[in-house]
Amino acid sequence: MKKIIKILLLCLSLLILAAFVQASFHTDTIECDNNTLIVSVCTGDMRALETGVSVYAGCNNVPLILSDKTMPEQLNGWLPGYVAENNITRIIVVGPVTPQQLFDFMKLGVQVKQVNGNTIPEILTKLAENSKNLRNDSVILTASDPLAGELGAYMKIPVFITASNSTYSSSENLSEDYLNYMKEHQIKNVIIVGNLPETIKKQLTEKNITFEELSGENSLEVSRSVNNKLVAENYVKNPQTVYYGFYGELPTIIPSVVKNNALLVEDSSNTGNILSYLQENNIETVVVTRNTESDYIQMEETDYISSDVTNQLEKNNITVKWLTKKRTLDEATGLYDMKILTVEDMNINDEEELDDSENQILKTEPPLIAMLNTEKCIDSNNVSAEINENAGEYKVKWSTIHPYTWKKINEKEYCATSNTGYEYHWTKDENTWKVSYTLDNKEYYNTTWIENKDNSWTEVQKNKNFTWKYDGMKWKCYDHNAELIYYISSN
């Protein structure tokens, strides 16, 4: 009996402690100063929450990081240094993260607050209800379009997300949370960004709420509609810069867009036809938020900004800048790099330069094959890998992306696969390796590696060539200007 009582007392103590901890983290609003960092959950049933949160980051001119319930390793390793260097004193978390993640934030020596809820509408209406910076006479409705975040940040109007079922696609009806908010604040006009179901529009009409639609047949047309409104109504005056990218990463760009009196162009429809729009609006600079296809050392999916687009911009005297590393493993690590550089852009930190002190060239295979003969390696973007070999099969476990399995067919043939269905077929012919990237047995990209007489390698990518040299410890990658831009180091 005494043992049972002790167990009950222990459970009660833990419940009291949990309640105390939750209360100490809890908040219903985003109160920011210049030393605040916002973290938004953006996965699972909170997918697209980040677009609603981006409004508050943009209005308050503070950086925004997107995260899972647990911070991805690449961001987690970078965060302590960023907090210390930029005197961050408060982290506001929006959405459900693990208790351990909250404690990890707290261990950084900052105040940690969390805005939480069971659903996206619950969280976003809570924020709108308690915000001092945003208007409460209108709302913006969108399935998940990041252009709504830009519009809301400039106009200081809350954005309500209608996406459901862990997707970016809209539900058929507005949630009761949204309807109750609009009723309480007697909202008579709303703005729709992107395309919403007719059932939602019918709901608005039945409530005597009129709506303005900023939509289009593709993402570029939606961008035009939103930006034209911002310029016409003088929320953005004489913009000279456009941030240009795809869906997933753009909410983190909103603070930089507002800070720099810029516009946002989203092109996940991949039309690439933005030149005429930029020229019509006298845009001088385009900041690109994804890598081109040539910047990926191994590429899964075709989620890249085409180098044809960036080359066209430069030929027409438009300056192209980047919020990405010059080289990265694949699109996943590229997006982590972009998130880091975007946050650092808010504090105007310079990118760290690579060390080019050694230039010795030794005989080796191309780096991705040569690294199979090592046990550990790390690249210049702080992505590491552990390699285990068994009977010609190599398990390559990366620190921030899914693992790869490499199979050595023979001395002239390798095949690398991941659990995502993408495959890389390496075939050697004399002094050349050809690499075919396939999905469902269909090639979607290819590269060529050519061995030079000095034992260096030329990597031939679309519109770009790179030179690789090995010094006994590092495979160093140089661009056409002989500038060291990336390396993989054996450990």
Side-chain angles (χ1 to χ4, degrees), residues 89-280:
T89 58
R90 179 185 301 153
I91 294 178
I92 300 176
V93 182
V94 184
V97 298
T98 65
Q100 182 60 52
Q101 185 62 69
L102 287 175
F103 280 113
D104 287 345
F105 287 145
M106 191 173 65
K107 286 189 292 186
L108 297 175
V110 300
Q111 180 190 49
V112 180
K113 290 293 182 180
Q114 181 185 28
V115 183
N116 204 359
N118 295 316
T119 65
I120 291 175
E122 180 184 343
I123 293 172
L124 292 180
T125 50
K126 185 184 300 183
L127 285 173
E129 195 70 57
N130 295 283
S131 173
K132 298 176 182 177
N133 295 335
L134 269 62
R135 295 159 43 186
N136 59 13
D137 60 340
S138 183
V139 298
I140 297 169
L141 297 177
T142 186
S144 54
D145 199 305
L147 269 296
E150 177 199 24
L151 187 68
Y154 273 122
M155 296 184 69
K156 298 189 183 301
I157 298 177
V159 169
F160 289 167
I161 302 298
T162 65
S164 64
N165 300 322
S166 302
T167 70
Y168 292 120
S169 301
S170 178
S171 60
E172 290 297 316
N173 297 287
L174 290 173
S175 76
E176 288 299 318
D177 289 306
Y178 293 155
L179 290 172
N180 290 337
Y181 179 90
M182 288 188 278
K183 180 180 179 180
E184 180 181 345
H185 293 279
Q186 299 181 354
I187 290 175
K188 297 299 181 183
N189 302 282
V190 304
I191 303 172
I192 294 174
V193 174
N195 301 301
L196 290 185
E198 292 299 320
T199 48
I200 288 182
K201 298 174 190 177
K202 183 179 178 182
Q203 278 184 291
L204 295 174
T205 302
E206 290 173 348
K207 301 289 184 182
N208 295 318
I209 299 174
T210 61
F211 52 88
E212 175 187 3
E213 290 186 83
L214 303 176
S215 58
E217 293 185 1
N218 55 52
S219 57
L220 186 56
E221 288 190 9
V222 175
S223 300
R224 285 176 182 263
S225 297
V226 171
N227 290 330
N228 287 346
K229 180 179 178 66
L230 288 172
V231 173
E233 297 183 11
N234 287 319
Y235 289 101
V236 184
K237 298 178 181 179
N238 301 316
Q240 297 181 335
T241 301
V242 157
Y243 285 74
Y244 174 63
F246 289 172
Y247 225 74
E249 76 270 17
L250 291 187
T252 64
I253 305 297
I254 302 300
S256 290
V257 171
V258 176
K259 172 189 173 185
N260 294 308
N261 187 54
L263 299 176
L264 183 65
V265 172
E266 198 274 314
D267 192 23
S268 59
S269 51
N270 217 9
T271 64
N273 185 26
I274 65 168
L275 179 61
S276 60
Y277 174 75
L278 300 176
Q279 291 174 329
E280 289 166 11

